[in-house]
Each structure stands twice: as structure tokens, then as C-alpha cells.
Amino acid sequence: MAKKTYDLLFKLLLIGDSGVGKTCVLFRFSDDAFNTTFISTIGIDFKIKTVELQGKKIKLQIWDTAGQERFHTITTSYYRGAMGIMLVYDITNAKSFENISKWLRNIDEHANEDVERMLLGNKCDMEDKRVVPKAKGEQISREHGIRFFETSAKANINIEKAFLTLAEDILRKTPVKEPNSENVDISSGGGVTGWKSKCC
Amino acid sequence: MDQSFAVQETLSAGETCLAISFRKGVNVNARRLHTVQGILAAEEGMESRLLSLVESHGKSMICLYTHRRMAITAEDVGLDRVLLIQEGFAVEEVTLEDGLQIPGSDVTVQITSGGTSLLVQLPFGSHTQMFLREVRKRCGPGHKDATAVDSEWSTSGEVKAAPRPKTARETVHLSHVPASEWTQDLPTQLCGQRDGLLQSWLKQKEDSYTNLQSFRFFVGTYNVNGQSPREGLQPWLSQEEEPPDVYCVGFQELDLSKEAFFFNDTPKEEEWFKAVTKSLHPGARYAKVKLVRMVGILLLLYVRTELAMNISEVEAETVGTGIMGRMGNKGGVAIRFQLHNTTVCVLNTHLAAHPEEYERRNQEVQDICARMQFHQLEPGHPLLAINGHDVVLWLGDLNYRLEEQDTEQVKKLVQARDFQVLHQHDQLKIQMDAKLVFEGFQEGEISFQPTYKYNPGSDDWDDSEKCCVPAWCDRILWRGKTVSQLGYRSHMALKNSDHKPVSAVFDIGVKVVDEKCYRKAFEETVRSLDKMENASIPSVTLSKTEFLFKDVKYLQLQVESFTICNGPVPCQFEFINKPNEDSYCKPWMTAKPREGFLLPDSKVVIELELFVNKSTATALNSGEDKLEDILVLHLDRGKDYFLSVSGNYLPSCFGCPIQTLCYMKEPIREMLPEAIRELTLMPLLTDDAFWDEKPLDIPKELWMLVDHLYRNACQQEDLFQQPGLRPEFEQICDWLDTGTLDVLGPVGSNHSVAEALLLFLESLPEPVVCYKLYRSSLECANSYKMSSQVISVLPKCHQNVFRYLVAFLRELLKHSGKNHLDVNILASIFGGLLLCPPPGHTKPGTVEKQKAQQFIQQFLCQEESTV
């Protein structure tokens, strides 16, 4: 009977334009709930959730970033150290989809080279307002060789699946090590950011 | 008894090592030495060895010792061979071909080192696990622990050629491991807490994922009076129709010889073990889980082989209560284990003899309860006591007698099988009823005649000289909610001893885990843990995250404040530096306080101060810098918040270069930002022919200030020595930045205008005497001729300003009778403003200041015609 709370710690990051639903995606996954009022994330937030994959308990530490353009230079500095990045757009917002290539460039420039990427087309419950066809999302993800899901935080579509798939992809690349609590890196378990002031 | 002591005695001083005593419950510092007894598979069969992990002069090795059954001193052990822990060293657990893998049974390992390969069987339990863990620590890649020990020992280890003097004191001293040394090694991690919490919660929910399932336990006790088994034990062990699931079989007085007493060494162990194994119920196959013996007290635990997989956490311990309260002729042995999810502790005790010693027997039970403590496999877990188990089975020769001393009377009652009456005289019953011993324990009704004392070989009462009163010495008690006794009897058929064996059969409800329910409970618990962890992430609310500073002026402080309201988690907050920047905000901003600690639900007001001074004004004037910034408020172990700062700066002549101002024909506030930018970034020209438009000779703002002073303040007492008034300074600034030449001057006092002049000169990004001429100016400070030459190479506008100011100051000196100014005062004030060391230069010392003063002084003292 496995009693250890977790064997591995994965740090994931949510990025994408403001208003595409990053916070809602995270809230759905961590608390299985949805909030309709829009509160713009002004900063960096994170939550944890423990999942089990291939008999291993994996603690996911998921960072939610501010999407507003004026914060981009700062938010990119949080990319470092992330093992997986979820790039979210809104299927009812063409601009958010057009910006995908810009976000992908950001990842190339600022994230670890071996970071697992994933594209999410969120708000797929709002079919009547859709402006980005699913095929376009599939096409761009094919071009960049990354996974793609259409999700809805509101209707709880594909949220869990997306996170588990991303975690699985990371796990596949993780060298097999005996689960040992002493080896689990928890130094970053409590919100250590990508950079920190030196003068304290 | 810990055999490490014996090994320790053979080591020299350089190999000083600390032994381990599990019995004492001292936490082990196993880095130095760890000893286990193992069975070595040799060509001629199995041989016993002591395996010792020894660290000597920076090297780790496993030493194998031959030994007497129970090694106490160095004479009892002999070094057999040494296996160095070096490259190629390996310890692997192996499964023997015919071996049945029983949890709780022995571990077989293959040890390979330098071409030698040994097969060693080690007893199951924490002792062996610790040993293997320590060995692996030293041969794995994470070897750094051992190297740390190396250095420790190479400094303190003094090599002694002579054998180490053997004194008992030293041995005792060495076994004393400071507790602090051990605790440092323990991982004090958060995830450890999480694990502990998880386990406690799962334990709490145990009912939701376990079902009680009944298992049959056979418990037997037999005082064999030092005899060897000469008759089959089936009449005792396998009388039941149904084969039991678990056998707990205890013996007392296995061996009454001196050897057994002093060396804990007896051949009888093997004999009785075989006899029991042969006599177990033929209806099932059994596996031995554990055997534990202390002198003559032996306890055996068997389970049906198919149950072996469900047995875990097997540990054995012994407590001696004999001579000195320690020796093993009296006392108890115990085995604790877990069957499915139920913890069981089985004790076999032999308590003090003699009818009148019932109080001693009570005391011994208390002692055993207090001292019997089990180690747990998980490092860092506390010792486990008897009362920490779900089920306790207590068997043995408890030696309680009958209070009725009249032998004949007792025998008569036995004859009449009036055990109820007789039981009223039983010391154990009396003591238990009075709650003086075995509190919480139960015993079944006794429906068999006393099991002591018989003439060996018969069912006849003892007729020796002593002629003991018959008694129920041999008893079986239990504690536990789910235990029900099916039978409690003696077995008259066995006649080998002066005691008769006793047995009890129990149905014990055992908590069996329902995997599906367990998964659910586990998931739920992990979810709540996650929830708890998420709730414990520090989080605050900010009353404001956007800050607008409107119409910011030079040297005019603006403050915006906001409140940090903390949530339920105490937190440490701090404005942290942004990537690739070495400050948390632009230089014109300060957050007060920058960091702090917040108690749950408390608040703090943060003030953001915006202040533009000389060092930041130029770039803000030119537009190279803007009043825009993002501050990152970081919570330790928590979130980050972004604060946006924006605003507009009203350009000012303060902070503008002289040349720029000379080209500005209108007030700076009326100029287009691009024009200000262009003029500010224009390189400093040595002559003004370059530009289309002819510049002003000197900045009009300078003229406005000086002209005002010339007309109003020449006779002002203490001019340049009294401070101005701040509101007046603000008015003067506005006048300079918005006013035109024809507008009449400010209403401010002369002192305010004089101060504004000084501040204006101070704000120049390039001083009147340019930075690059600073050094040469000081060098020629005592030669007027050379000093004049320095001035003549200044850019035209700077030259003009210099001469203009000197002329003004000389004018002031003419009125020194009224304004009390003299050459020294003016030279010292203006020397420091007109001559400034370039940025990065160390702050000017007294000598430099004097030279700057001297430089100006020359010009103030010269004949008017020559300036």
C-alpha cells in the first residue's frame, strides 16, 4: 500500500492572452468549480494538485500567469523551471488565436529547451460564438508538433484529460528513479519564483 | 543483547566506532558501525556470522566474525574476513529457489566484493533493514555521507599500534550516541509532515475501507522444566477440528543450564522448534514467521502459508526482569506484527516464582509493559508500546498461585472439579479484580484443573518434600475489542514436565482492506490534503494595483498609498527585483515599507513615494525615461502581485543641460516633447556655429534668477546662507518653466530665489566647468593664468555662464558691508557647484574642496578689467 503523498513534483505553467480562461481552467482542475465573474489575474498565482499516473503519485504545481500584454516582459521570466506549459486561446476570440505564434516564440526564448508544450482552445462550450474552427487549432498544433485539446472550464470538457496528458508526457521523459521522498525536490514547492531579489 | 559491543572491543582506536543498541531505544547513529547476525551459506552448510559495518580511516567495510552463540566480549568473536566497500561492491537481495517468500521471514542477500561472493541470510526486521540501508548508502552514488564521516574520522582518529585497552567504561561511553548528532541527519521536510498527516487521516478513516474478517488464532503456553521434547505435541497443538490460521506458541524453562543463563545459548531452541513444527495441525501448511528467545523463554509465530503475504511489520523484542532487573531468566519476549490492517502483539512471560511473591509478579508485568518497545521500519517513527496494538495476546507461566495454602483442601476441590470456588482464591483473579495488574485484559473461564505441579511423567500431584500447592501458573490473557475466545483448556496428555501445557483458541476480527474502498479513501484524503495545502498558500488582497501620479514636478514629492490585507495565512511580503534589474523599481520610486510580515487577517499600508531629483530629471525631461513601472509584490511561499505605476512628468529647466536651455527661446513647458528631446540629446558643441539658429548667450532661466537677485538682493543680509521656503521654491520653478522674460519676478523672498539658483546649478547634468576639465582645473587652482585657460576651452555657453556668474558674485562682494558675504564664503559655495567630480568619482575630500574653492576665489579677487 503506497502511503507516500507524492513521488515526483512537476511544475506547469498556464499562458495565453488575457481573458481566454487560464484561471478558470486551473480552478476547474484544482477545485472542480467554475466562477463566471471575470477577475483579471494581476500577477502570478499557483495551486497544487496530486494525481496518480502509472502508479506514481505526482504533485502538480500549476502556475497561472497574468495575460495582459503590459506584463509580458515580467511573466516570461517565470517560464524558466516550468516542465510543462499550457498555451491557452479562446475559440470565440480570433485575436487570442492569432497571438499563438507570438506565445510560442516566447516559450522558445524563455522556457527550458525540453519543456513540454500543449495548446488548448478554451470555451468550446460556446459553439454559437465560435470564430476559430477546431481544424485551425489542430493545424497549428501539428505544425509545431504539440498536443491540442479543445476544452471548456465551464462545461468541464477535457480539462482533467489535458492536465493528465501533459503530466504523462513529462513523466515519459523523466528518468526512472526509485520513488524516494529524499529525492523529491520540494525546494520549489512553496512558491519560489523564477527570480528573486538578491538584496535581502 | 547487542553484539556490537563484542565487535567494538576488537577494533583499535583509529577505528573508533559507535555501536548500536536497539534495546535501549537510543536512536542509532549507524554511520559508524552496525552489526547484524547472519547465516552464511558455506560449502559445509550454514554457519553463523556476525556482520559488522565498520568505518575505519575513511574506508567502509563489512567485517564478518565467527562467534559464540551470543557474543558478549571480544573473546567471543573472531574476524573471519573483510569485504571492502569499494568499486564493484554490491549487495543484492536474492530469492532462494526453494525458499518461500514470507514477509517477516529472513532476508537472503548476496554480497559481492573484490572477487568474493557470499550468500548471507539475515533475520527479518528493522535491525537488518537499517544495516542494509547503511551499507547501501555507502556503496551507492550518493556516497557523500560516508565521505563526510571520513574527514571527521581522519582528523579525530588517532592510530594506535597497541591494542586498545579494554575497559568497560569505554565501551559504555562509546555506546552513548548524542541524540543531536542523529537528529541532524533526519530529513526535516515538509513532505514528511504531509506523509504523516496522510497516514493519520487514513488511519482515522480505517473503518470506511476495512471489513472485519475472522481469523482463528491458537495460543499455547508450556513450561517444559528444562526437558527436551520426548513426546509428540499434537495432543496440545492440533486437537481442534479446524486448522487455526495463526499459531502463537510459548515455552518457559526451555533450558535450566548455566550456559543458557549466562550465554543465552541453548541447543533446546532447535529441538522444541522442530517439535512444534512437526505437531502443527495437519489440515494446513504453515510458515514460521518469527522465533524469539531470551534464555529459557521462547516464542514462536506461525501462519498458514497462504496468509503470509498479509503479514507485515514483524518485530521481536525481549525484556529481562531477572537478577538486577535485567537478566533473562525471568521476563518476557514478544512478537508484534500486522495481519492485514490489524496490529497484534503476542507476549510470552515467565514471572517470579513463589506463592508470596505476587506483588513482585505485578511489578514485573508493569516493567514489561513499560520497557517492551518496538522499533518501526519507517525511520523517524516513534517506538511502539504494547498498548499501541489492536490486539494483545499474553501467555506464559505467570506463576500466580492460590491463596488457599492448604494443599489437601485444594486437592479436594480439584477432585470435585469445583473450579469456581477454587478460582476465588486465585491470586491473578484477585489482583486483576483489584485492578492491580493486567488492567484492560481479560481471561476466559477456567474449566481445567491447575497445571502445576505434577510429578513428571504422570498426572499425579507433586509429592516431593516441597509439596507445592497446586496452582494455575500457566495462563492466557487477551485484550482487544474484536477477540472472542472459543476454548481455554489444559492438556493432561503431555507428561514430560511438572507443568501441563495450556491452550486457548480465539476468533479474532481482523481489519481486511477493501482495495476499492481504500483507493477511494486514499483519493479523498489526498484531495483534502491538496485542498489544505492550497488553502495554506499565503494570499492577500490589495486595495489598489494601479497607481497614477499626475503632473509630477521636480523635487516635489507625491505619495500614493494602498493597503495589503492578509488572508488567513501568516505571510512575509517583499517587493522583489525584476529580471535583469538590480532594484525592485525605478530610481524615482520608493515603497515604504519595502518588506514586512503580516499576521493572519492583518493589514499594512504601503506608501509609494515618487520623487524626481537631479539624477532622474534629465532622462524624464528628454522622454528617455517615463513615469511607468511595474512593481512585483512577492509573498514568501506564495503568489506574486503586479503593481502598475504610471504618471506624467512636467518638464523643467532643472536637470536640463546649459546648452539645451540656451536654445530654448520659450518656456520649457510650452515646448513640444520632441523638441525637448532633440535639444537634450544634442551633443555639447564647442561653438555655436553648427546650429541654424543662434542660441541665447546664457539660459534665460539663469538670467531670470540672477537678474532678480541683482535687482532685489544685493544688500540682502546672509544671502545664500539662509534656506528658502518650499512653497516659494515651487512657485519659482513654475515661474521659470512657464513664465516669460517680460513677466515680473516671483513674490518669493530673496532667500528662496537664491536657493533656487543654487539648486539650478546643482541640477545641471554637466556642471559649468565640464566634467572632463575637473581634474585639470584642480591642478591649476593656484595659477590664475592657467585657470583662465581652462575656462577658455569650455564650450561657449558654459564659458558665458561662468563669466556671468563670476561677474554677479563680484557685484555682490561690493555690498559685503550689508550682505555680510566675503570671498571665502562665495568661493566655497560656488566652488562645489561649478566644479563637480564626474560620476563614479569618489566624493571630494577636504583637499579637493579647498582646491575648487581656490579656483573660484582667484576669479573673484582679480581686477575687474581682466575678467
Side-chain angles (χ1 to χ4, degrees):
Chain A
M1 249 182 286
K3 280 184 178 172
K4 279 263 172 294
T5 47
Y6 67 93
D7 308 313
L8 293 161
L9 176 74
F10 291 171
K11 181 180 165 186
L12 310 181
L13 198 70
L14 283 159
I15 61 170
D17 276 12
S18 178
V20 298
K22 297 180 292 295
T23 304
C24 288
V25 165
L26 175 54
F27 193 48
R28 168 63 72 188
F29 181 62
S30 68
D31 293 56
D32 195 24
F34 182 78
N35 198 337
T36 43
T37 50
F38 174 66
I39 303 164
S40 190
T41 306
I42 310 290
I44 305 286
D45 199 349
F46 73 91
K47 283 184 181 291
I48 66 110
K49 180 162 176 168
T50 317
V51 298
E52 190 167 333
L53 286 175
Q54 297 165 23
K56 285 196 166 56
K57 295 194 175 46
I58 297 165
K59 185 166 165 182
L60 303 177
Q61 189 182 62
I62 309 149
W63 295 70
D64 181 19
T65 61
Q68 290 177 35
E69 186 136 14
R70 58 188 169 138
F71 298 128
H72 285 184
T73 39
I74 295 187
T75 50
T76 50
S77 62
Y78 290 83
Y79 289 17
R80 208 165 3 111
M83 297 151 93
I85 294 182
M86 279 181 165
L87 169 44
V88 190
Y89 70 90
D90 171 2
I91 65 151
T92 70
N93 178 344
K95 185 83 190 137
S96 74
F97 182 73
E98 285 158 27
N99 280 334
I100 289 298
S101 43
K102 190 194 72 188
W103 285 109
L104 285 169
R105 263 200 314 281
N106 266 343
I107 297 176
D108 285 345
E109 282 168 32
H110 299 282
N112 295 358
E113 210 166 285
D114 60 347
V115 70
E116 273 300 325
R117 298 166 303 168
M118 177 176 273
L119 183 65
L120 299 185
N122 195 35
K123 306 192 188 176
C124 73
D125 57 298
M126 296 165 76
E127 203 49 61
D128 52 330
K129 290 190 179 156
R130 178 192 283 274
V131 293
V132 183
K134 191 174 181 183
K136 280 181 84 175
E138 286 167 341
Q139 190 195 335
I140 197 165
S141 65
R142 249 197 320 276
E143 283 165 14
H144 290 91
I146 59 180
R147 285 189 197 271
F148 169 67
F149 288 103
E150 279 204 340
T151 57
S152 165
K154 189 176 177 185
N156 196 8
I157 301 168
N158 277 343
I159 299 291
E160 177 123 342
K161 191 171 173 189
F163 278 101
L164 293 183
T165 309
L166 184 58
E168 243 166 29
D169 289 344
I170 298 168
L171 181 62
R172 203 166 298 126
K173 292 201 298 196
T174 309
V176 185
K177 233 185 342 186
E178 271 299 294
N180 181 347
S181 67
E182 283 164 18
N183 291 341
V184 173
D185 172 26
I186 62 144
S187 62
S188 55
V192 176
T193 56
W195 37 271
K196 179 94 171 63
S197 100
K198 285 168 223 137
C199 56
C200 54
Chain B
M1 203 167 288
D2 195 321
Q3 305 183 68
S4 295
F5 291 103
V7 174
Q8 175 61 57
E9 286 197 24
T10 68
L11 301 173
S12 72
E15 301 164 321
T16 305
C17 347
L18 291 171
I20 300 95
S21 165
F22 278 108
R23 302 270 150 76
K24 288 192 178 130
V26 175
N27 262 322
V28 185
N29 187 335
R31 295 192 302 190
R32 319 258 164 86
L33 176 80
H34 211 112
T35 304
V36 290
Q37 185 172 344
I39 308 291
L40 179 65
E43 277 168 34
E44 321 79 71
M46 307 293 252
E47 288 173 16
S48 182
R49 292 283 184 280
L50 291 181
L51 273 74
S52 242
L53 175 62
V54 174
E55 232 151 39
S56 166
H57 305 109
K59 286 204 176 86
S60 305
M61 60 198 85
I62 292 180
C63 297
L64 276 79
Y65 296 86
T66 55
H67 65 104
R68 292 179 59 157
R69 268 268 173 83
M70 185 69 207
I72 293 169
T73 68
E75 281 99 69
D76 297 336
V77 299
L79 187 62
D80 176 35
R81 63 181 101 197
V82 174
L83 302 173
L84 263 181
I85 301 182
Q86 57 191 7
E87 229 180 282
F89 177 91
V91 180
E92 262 179 298
E93 253 176 71
V94 292
T95 316
L96 295 175
E97 272 171 37
D98 57 338
L100 177 74
Q101 270 302 62
I102 303 165
S105 71
D106 299 340
V107 184
T108 306
V109 294
Q110 176 142 28
I111 306 177
T112 323
S113 170
T116 321
S117 182
L118 300 174
L119 215 52
V120 185
Q121 213 179 332
L122 301 170
F124 182 85
S126 57
H127 211 130
T128 292
Q129 293 305 319
M130 286 266 215
F131 176 80
L132 291 176
R133 192 155 44 217
E134 292 303 322
V135 170
R136 284 194 188 110
K137 218 187 259 176
R138 280 159 181 80
C139 58
H143 189 65
K144 56 180 190 295
D145 192 25
T147 48
V149 176
D150 286 353
S151 55
E152 188 182 322
W153 288 112
S154 57
T155 50
S156 66
E158 217 183 50
V159 186
K160 262 190 207 165
R164 202 173 65 81
K166 268 182 276 174
T167 65
R169 220 180 99 242
E170 206 158 345
T171 315
V172 170
H173 171 75
L174 286 167
S175 69
H176 216 82
V177 182
S180 61
E181 212 171 331
W182 173 257
T183 49
Q184 278 168 10
D185 292 348
L186 289 175
T188 50
Q189 295 174 336
L190 198 80
C191 75
Q193 281 175 24
R194 215 181 122 110
D195 284 342
L197 202 54
L198 178 77
Q199 284 179 26
S200 305
W201 273 355
L202 277 175
K203 186 81 196 159
Q204 213 174 49
K205 288 186 188 171
E206 205 175 36
D207 289 347
S208 75
Y209 59 85
T210 56
N211 300 313
L212 275 190
Q213 202 174 307
S214 192
F215 286 84
R216 184 146 304 175
F217 280 59
F218 177 97
V219 182
T221 177
Y222 191 10
N223 182 322
V224 297
N225 193 26
Q227 304 299 308
S228 288
R230 284 195 299 272
E231 48 191 0
L233 303 175
Q234 286 89 349
W236 172 37
L237 298 175
S238 49
Q239 282 304 292
E240 306 296 317
E241 210 167 290
E242 231 182 277
D245 298 304
V246 180
Y247 268 106
C248 313
V249 183
F251 294 95
Q252 305 84 33
E253 298 195 0
L254 204 68
D255 192 332
L256 299 169
S257 69
K258 284 195 193 74
E259 287 76 13
F261 179 58
F262 288 113
F263 303 116
N264 198 15
D265 181 18
T266 173
K268 304 248 164 121
E269 175 182 305
E270 192 73 11
E271 292 172 16
W272 283 101
F273 168 56
K274 279 184 180 155
V276 171
T277 308
K278 261 195 296 192
S279 308
L280 297 177
H281 202 290
R285 282 187 64 207
Y286 292 94
K288 181 202 96 180
V289 175
K290 191 85 199 166
L291 175 155
V292 58
R293 185 179 59 78
M294 178 181 67
V295 189
I297 308 170
L298 172 71
L299 180 62
L300 290 160
L301 176 70
Y302 298 84
V303 296
R304 289 172 75 138
T305 49
E306 61 267 33
L307 285 180
M309 291 310 293
N310 304 316
I311 298 274
S312 60
E313 328 245 326
V314 184
E315 293 287 338
E317 273 302 335
T318 63
V319 168
T321 59
I323 300 165
M324 306 188 301
R326 298 278 147 181
M327 291 306 274
N329 59 326
K330 288 289 186 310
V333 300
I335 299 171
R336 60 95 43 193
F337 61 96
Q338 196 170 319
L339 174 56
H340 288 283
N341 254 32
T342 294
T343 53
V344 182
C345 180
V346 188
L347 293 109
N348 174 14
T349 57
H350 189 192
L351 305 180
H354 306 300
E356 66 280 9
E357 293 284 16
Y358 63 89
E359 278 178 330
R360 178 181 300 273
R361 291 188 273 279
N362 291 356
Q363 184 57 48
E364 284 176 343
V365 172
Q366 310 289 353
D367 285 356
I368 289 167
C369 286
R371 285 167 53 202
M372 189 72 81
Q373 296 201 307
F374 303 93
H375 279 260
Q376 299 194 66
L377 268 180
E378 291 279 321
H381 278 212
L383 295 170
L384 201 63
I386 293 169
N387 60 19
H389 292 82
D390 298 323
V391 172
V392 182
L393 302 170
W394 195 309
L395 58 104
D397 179 355
L398 307 185
N399 250 329
Y400 286 90
R401 308 299 171 93
L402 293 170
E403 287 292 355
E404 176 58 66
Q405 295 292 314
D406 180 8
T407 311
E408 287 316 309
Q409 176 68 17
V410 169
K411 285 179 180 170
K412 214 176 280 169
L413 281 168
V414 171
Q415 190 85 46
R417 300 193 71 77
D418 198 350
F419 301 132
Q420 262 183 348
V421 172
L422 198 55
H423 196 210
Q424 299 308 315
H425 301 282
D426 175 52
Q427 285 177 338
L428 181 57
K429 180 186 160 48
I430 295 165
Q431 295 299 308
M432 277 175 78
D433 286 349
K435 298 196 184 302
L436 293 169
V437 74
F438 286 118
E439 252 205 275
F441 281 83
Q442 279 176 272
E443 188 185 21
E445 194 194 321
I446 298 179
S447 55
F448 51 87
Q449 67 184 59
T451 53
Y452 181 75
K453 177 180 184 178
Y454 296 91
N455 285 327
S458 75
D459 290 343
D460 305 331
W461 296 117
D462 169 51
D463 54 9
S464 67
E465 273 171 50
K466 256 162 79 184
C467 195
C468 285
V469 182
W472 284 298
C473 289
D474 308 285
R475 313 287 277 264
I476 295 167
L477 314 177
W478 78 87
R479 209 187 64 193
K481 289 195 198 87
T482 60
V483 184
S484 61
Q485 198 178 52
L486 304 180
Y488 188 28
R489 53 177 294 202
S490 67
H491 300 267
M492 299 298 285
L494 297 189
K495 305 181 199 303
N496 220 344
S497 166
D498 56 354
H499 286 251
K500 297 291 178 189
V502 170
S503 73
V505 177
F506 298 99
D507 263 348
I508 297 181
V510 165
K511 291 174 277 188
V512 179
V513 172
D514 178 321
E515 271 307 320
K516 224 172 116 190
C517 296
Y518 175 77
R519 279 218 67 78
K520 203 175 143 237
F522 186 86
E523 290 284 312
E524 275 171 14
T525 312
V526 168
R527 282 293 84 81
S528 349
L529 270 172
D530 283 355
K531 209 170 164 185
M532 215 173 75
E533 197 168 327
N534 279 328
S536 70
I537 297 171
S539 177
V540 299
T541 48
L542 307 180
S543 64
K544 217 171 155 187
T545 58
E546 312 230 351
F547 302 89
L548 181 64
F549 292 87
K550 267 164 104 177
D551 297 338
V552 176
K553 293 177 183 172
Y554 185 72
L555 290 193
Q556 287 183 32
L557 179 71
Q558 281 201 26
V559 180
E560 287 277 329
S561 62
F562 70 101
T563 313
I564 305 179
C565 301
N566 194 19
V569 186
C571 79
Q572 177 92 39
F573 69 87
E574 183 193 5
F575 288 97
I576 54 168
N577 292 1
K578 286 178 285 176
N580 313 318
E581 285 178 30
D582 48 15
S583 68
Y584 66 96
C585 63
K586 296 276 184 65
W588 33 260
M589 173 122 277
T590 324
K592 286 182 180 170
R594 186 193 162 176
E595 57 190 354
F597 187 82
L598 275 169
L599 289 171
D601 304 310
S602 65
K603 293 176 183 183
V604 66
V605 173
I606 307 285
E607 292 197 326
L608 296 179
E609 296 184 353
L610 206 164
F611 188 70
V612 177
N613 60 14
K614 177 198 169 186
S615 62
T616 51
T618 312
L620 287 169
N621 272 336
S622 70
E624 287 167 282
D625 188 14
K626 285 193 166 59
L627 289 185
E628 266 170 26
D629 200 7
I630 295 169
L631 274 65
V632 181
L633 179 66
H634 173 73
L635 304 184
D636 188 31
R637 312 186 67 78
K639 312 174 180 188
D640 287 0
Y641 298 82
F642 298 160
L643 306 181
S644 306
V645 171
S646 60
N648 66 303
Y649 179 66
L650 296 177
S652 166
C653 61
F654 289 85
C656 275
I658 291 173
Q659 177 180 258
T660 308
L661 292 172
C662 287
Y663 278 100
M664 287 185 188
K665 303 275 169 73
E666 51 211 288
I668 191 165
R669 298 265 173 84
E670 283 168 30
M671 303 212 29
L672 292 170
E674 302 79 52
I676 302 176
R677 182 182 171 84
E678 196 181 0
L679 289 174
T680 310
L681 298 179
M682 180 169 73
L684 189 53
L685 305 166
T686 36
D687 59 78
D688 44 53
F690 180 77
W691 206 253
D692 301 345
E693 208 177 334
K694 195 177 173 349
L696 301 171
D697 289 335
I698 57 164
K700 59 188 178 310
E701 293 81 1
L702 178 67
W703 179 84
M704 287 159 82
L705 291 167
V706 169
D707 184 59
H708 181 92
L709 290 171
Y710 176 71
R711 282 192 278 113
N712 302 302
C714 280
Q715 302 195 352
Q716 176 70 50
E717 217 175 305
D718 294 333
L719 197 65
F720 293 122
Q721 310 214 65
Q722 277 212 12
L725 297 168
R726 187 136 290 264
E728 288 182 3
F729 172 72
E730 288 174 18
Q731 282 176 11
I732 293 165
C733 286
D734 286 344
W735 171 60
L736 295 174
D737 293 333
T738 59
T740 42
L741 292 172
D742 46 308
V743 174
L744 214 64
V747 271
S749 72
N750 290 333
H751 292 303
S752 295
V753 179
E755 191 181 44
L757 174 63
L758 300 182
L759 286 168
F760 174 80
L761 294 172
E762 194 214 9
S763 77
L764 293 171
E766 181 83 40
V768 178
V769 177
C770 298
Y771 284 134
K772 61 176 181 190
L773 292 170
Y774 176 69
R775 195 114 310 275
S776 41
S777 310
L778 295 189
E779 278 161 15
C780 59
N782 46 12
S783 155
Y784 176 65
K785 206 172 155 207
M786 282 166 74
S787 300
S788 300
Q789 245 163 20
V790 169
I791 296 304
S792 67
V793 297
L794 285 175
K796 194 81 177 103
C797 53
H798 283 245
Q799 250 181 70
N800 293 343
V801 168
F802 187 83
R803 294 187 202 286
Y804 180 68
L805 284 171
V806 167
F808 169 59
L809 297 180
R810 289 167 64 109
E811 186 62 32
L812 286 178
L813 286 172
K814 287 180 188 161
H815 303 275
S816 58
K818 290 273 171 58
N819 58 27
H820 302 143
L821 290 170
D822 63 30
V823 173
N824 275 330
I825 294 173
L826 289 178
S828 115
I829 294 172
F830 284 84
L833 290 169
L834 304 182
L835 285 92
C836 307
H841 189 282
T842 48
K843 244 189 154 184
T846 328
V847 178
E848 273 185 46
K849 277 182 185 161
Q850 274 171 358
K851 282 191 171 170
Q853 184 186 342
Q854 202 182 351
F855 183 90
I856 300 298
Q857 206 163 342
Q858 298 175 89
F859 290 93
L860 297 184
C861 297
Q862 281 308 308
E863 291 300 313
E864 190 150 357
S865 57
T866 56
V867 176

